[in-house]
Amino acid sequence: MPSINIHLSRSSVVTIDGLAASGKSSVAQGVAQALNVPYVSSGLLYRAVTYAALNHQINLEQESEILAWVAHNGLKLLPKNDGNQVFLNAHDITEQCHSSLVDANVSIVALHQNVRAWVNTQIRALEKPFVAEGRDMGAVVFTDAAVKLFLTASSLVRAQRRSLERPEETEQIKAMIEARDTKDAVNSGAATDAVVIETESLNLEEVIAASLDAIAART
Ligand code: DC
């Protein structure tokens, strides 16, 4: 990991947004480790709500049922700088949240504005400083973040990266990613003051280094 002399103040947040499989989590993890702060995966909370709803046969279109369930059960995100965990009534459900079934359904749940409000409340209540990773961290949730980054790459490159973590073929993953891009578009976007990092031809270390350069230039 690059050694870096950046100090985030106690109230600081760095946001890293990007489309599905753009490498946000890995980059957020590398940046958080270099800054010696935790990272916060907002997507993992959307995934946890989706997993729970699927598991309890709640119709994913029924926002009020999902919210009622969430209100009566303990879903808790544990941010760290080497990964995030999510617990449901004290059971670690992190692994189950990264299944292809959750991948295929999470965009439906993330469209509900009251689910989004619930996720945003959880995340804003976490102790700062941290790196927040997702789709709308810079544009909506932490509009006054110290630094905002937005990662981009083509759907093919994102599918090739994701194929290392999923059993399906790259072509199928690419189709799923494109379907998710379409559904997620309404809640995804770079803040007007975000630094856009094109990751197409960069490896993970290079994207982390570019992110740290952008942070160093603005803190
Ligand atoms: O980053 P991810 O693939 O783990 O995110 C899972 C889903 O959650 C993604 O399809 C869109 C949604 N999401 C969102 O709408 N807003 C966020 N801030 C983070 C994720």
Side-chain angles (χ1 to χ4, degrees):
M1 200 51 56
S3 80
I4 188 101
N5 192 16
I6 301 172
H7 180 71
L8 286 187
S9 76
R10 282 169 59 130
S11 60
S12 282
V13 174
V14 169
T15 60
I16 303 182
D17 291 299
L19 296 176
S22 58
K24 300 179 302 284
S25 295
S26 308
V27 174
Q29 183 169 325
V31 168
Q33 285 176 357
L35 299 179
N36 202 22
V37 299
Y39 83 91
V40 171
S41 168
S42 55
L44 187 54
L45 268 183
Y46 286 103
R47 288 173 176 276
V49 174
T50 306
Y51 168 78
L54 287 168
N55 229 20
H56 290 83
Q57 283 90 44
I58 298 172
N59 180 342
L60 299 186
E61 304 287 351
Q62 296 296 324
E63 179 175 29
S64 55
E65 278 185 49
I66 296 173
L67 280 166
W69 189 92
V70 165
H72 290 100
N73 290 274
L75 267 186
K76 199 166 167 44
L77 184 72
L78 179 63
K80 297 180 296 183
N81 72 6
D82 63 347
N84 275 214
Q85 286 173 287
V86 66
F87 295 85
L88 169 54
N89 297 327
H91 294 289
D92 185 349
I93 57 163
T94 313
E95 207 179 310
Q96 293 91 313
C97 289
H98 289 287
S99 69
S100 299
L101 182 65
V102 172
D103 283 351
N105 287 285
V106 61
S107 302
I108 302 169
V109 172
L111 279 180
H112 298 312
Q113 289 309 310
N114 291 320
V115 171
R116 302 195 72 78
W118 179 83
V119 167
N120 295 347
T121 301
Q122 309 304 306
I123 289 176
R124 287 188 180 119
L126 295 167
E127 190 182 345
K128 295 170 183 149
F130 54 72
V131 175
E133 167 259 299
R135 307 302 168 97
D136 58 349
M137 295 295 101
V140 175
V141 184
F142 298 108
T143 49
D144 58 353
V147 186
K148 302 175 183 179
L149 306 178
F150 192 88
L151 309 183
T152 64
S154 67
S155 57
L156 176 60
V157 164
R158 288 183 284 137
Q160 285 164 343
R161 291 175 184 160
R162 185 54 51 99
S163 69
L164 304 174
E165 305 163 354
R166 295 289 188 276
E168 291 86 1
E169 295 296 321
T170 304
E171 264 312 303
Q172 194 184 343
I173 296 173
K174 180 169 169 279
M176 285 173 73
I177 282 178
E178 287 171 355
R180 258 211 298 154
D181 283 354
T182 307
K183 288 191 199 136
D184 291 340
V186 61
N187 291 306
S188 307
T192 49
D193 51 348
V195 180
V196 177
I197 299 179
E198 169 55 73
T199 73
E200 189 84 8
S201 59
L202 303 181
N203 65 28
L204 177 60
E205 281 67 35
E206 290 169 333
V207 181
I208 293 170
S211 301
L212 290 172
D213 284 347
I215 294 167
R218 283 165 186 78
T219 48

